[in-house]
Amino acid sequence: MGYMPEADNTVVLVADGEASVLKNVSSTLGKAGFTVLTAQGRPAVLDVCAHHPEPIQLAIMDMAMAGSGSDLVERLYGSYPGIRILFTSSQDESETVRQIGRSGQVREFLQKPFRRSQLLGRVLEVMDAPLVHTA
């Protein structure tokens, strides 16, 4: 059986520098039954990490916000063990994504622009993926 957001009140953090992207993605996910938090910029993501103690199961984050280092990603993993991250970018960065963050964590990629159906399909895939720890 596939992943059902209503079953466990899944919280998703949407982090992007563009307000229109935040609005469209959060609207799509909200209608699908997810609880959505938004962060426009790196400081907003850090603020969420500092002030949202409840678990966040998924972060949808623009690659530009992740930056060249993975400090923001590591902060998310530290604050929310088991969080899954779906990176987005207008460039194909699917190979770069595999090198970000810890082994065993779920990290996937979705290229912009994407349709609502593509977003929801990818989110459900990411949430269904098992967390497997490798050496």
Side-chain angles (χ1 to χ4, degrees), residues 11 37 46-57 78-81:
V11 178
L37 304 173
L46 294 173
D47 190 56
V48 168
C49 289
H51 298 104
H52 189 82
E54 294 84 23
I56 295 176
Q57 288 82 15
S79 297
Y80 309 106

Side-chain angles (χ1 to χ4, degrees), residues 19-68:
S20 61
V21 172
L22 290 177
K23 182 180 176 196
N24 291 336
V25 171
S26 60
S27 170
T28 298
L29 295 176
K31 289 175 184 171
F34 293 93
T35 298
V36 183
L37 304 173
T38 58
Q40 189 172 355
R42 290 173 64 92
V45 174
L46 294 173
D47 190 56
V48 168
C49 289
H51 298 104
H52 189 82
E54 294 84 23
I56 295 176
Q57 288 82 15
L58 173 67
I60 300 175
M61 177 183 297
D62 186 270
M63 286 291 292
M65 289 183 59
S68 55

Side-chain angles (χ1 to χ4, degrees), residues 22 25 64 69 77 95 105 109 113 115 126:
L22 290 177
V25 171
Y77 286 143
E95 287 306 311
Q105 297 291 344
F109 178 76
R115 295 187 308 275
V126 169

Side-chain angles (χ1 to χ4, degrees), residues 97-112:
V97 164
R98 299 190 206 304
Q99 300 160 23
I100 297 175
R102 305 174 183 184
S103 168
Q105 297 291 344
V106 175
R107 305 177 293 282
E108 293 295 337
F109 178 76
L110 179 62
Q111 189 163 343
K112 294 179 183 177

